[in-house]
Amino acid sequence: MENTKCWRLPDEAATQALGEALAQGVVPGLKIFLAGDLGAGKTTLSRALIRALGHAGPVKSPTYALVEVYVISSLYLYHFDFYRFESPEEFLDAGFGEHFNETSVCLVEWPERAAECLPAPDLRLFLHHTADGGRELEAVADTERGQACLNATISAGGVAACCVAPAPR
Ligand SMILES: Nc1ncnc2c1ncn2[C@@H]1O[C@H](COP(=O)(O)OP(=O)(O)O)[C@@H](O)[C@H]1O
Ligand SMILES: [Mg+2]
């Protein structure tokens, strides 16, 4: 199986559908990084994923709080956003490292702002704006757990039809 996959996401509903498909591959210990400009759809995708896991309440952007925690059945899911970090050491100062363990799930927006202080991801998602006003998502699996999540996402159906070859860069 390839470790890289790319999707065209023509509208918000497509981003949400991909978040729901990703939820099918969520297992304890999974770490997903979401990179992309402001407004690229990182929170939209995370929100759909968290809802698909069974969280019925609101899903706020963690931009101001830095982290929002969801307890879904017995699963702890941490949704981080490090946009406001001025240096990667803030990750260590905040004591966030302890949340990256084998029993919790971590979604991380703006991982580059915590850089080398962050544990390694299983799956990296890159969201881009496209010229037609939609989005494109590239997913790169770095571990077996990430690959299993990517495979589950692909077989979740619906969004599989949107798969295209990764854009040249
Ligand atoms: N595939 C898409 N095509 C067009 N608009 C989208 C798409 N996915 C999400 N959006 C819109 O773009 C915005 C993304 O905002 P948000 O998810 O908060 O981005 P981020 O967290 O990356 O800053 C929302 O207004 C959402 O409705
Ligand atoms: Mg966001």
Side-chain angles (χ1 to χ4, degrees):
M1 259 304 200
E2 295 173 55
N3 79 323
T4 302
K5 202 83 191 171
C6 190
W7 283 271
R8 281 278 301 115
L9 305 172
D11 52 26
E12 182 180 13
T15 302
Q16 291 166 340
L18 191 58
E20 287 161 17
L22 272 161
Q24 305 304 312
V26 167
V27 292
L30 185 71
K31 298 179 278 295
I32 301 180
F33 288 6
L34 298 107
D37 291 341
L38 280 176
K42 303 179 292 298
T43 299
T44 302
L45 188 140
S46 300
R47 182 176 290 125
L49 186 159
I50 292 164
R51 287 257 172 82
L53 287 177
H55 173 74
V59 176
K60 282 193 288 182
S61 171
T63 308
Y64 294 98
L66 298 175
V67 61
E68 297 288 343
V69 187
Y70 302 89
V71 186
I72 306 165
S73 302
S74 59
L75 185 77
Y76 277 75
L77 185 148
Y78 295 89
H79 181 195
F80 296 98
D81 183 336
F82 299 134
Y83 181 69
R84 291 169 64 241
F85 273 9
E86 282 169 15
S87 84
E89 285 70 33
E90 289 183 49
F91 177 83
L92 305 175
D93 295 344
F96 287 151
E98 66 179 277
H99 300 318
F100 289 73
N101 58 58
E102 288 304 305
T103 58
S104 62
V105 172
C106 290
L107 305 180
V108 184
E109 299 188 35
W110 294 96
E112 59 273 39
R113 303 254 161 130
E116 71 281 357
C117 293
L118 266 181
D122 295 298
L123 187 62
R124 285 175 290 145
L125 306 180
F126 301 89
L127 280 149
H128 311 275
H129 289 81
T130 54
D132 59 6
R135 307 288 187 270
E136 195 174 77
L137 181 139
E138 188 180 354
V140 182
D142 291 329
T143 65
E144 278 187 27
R145 188 155 50 198
Q147 186 70 58
C149 179
L150 189 53
N151 295 348
T153 304
I154 293 163
S155 35
V159 292
C162 299
C163 289
V164 294
R169 59 190 60 237

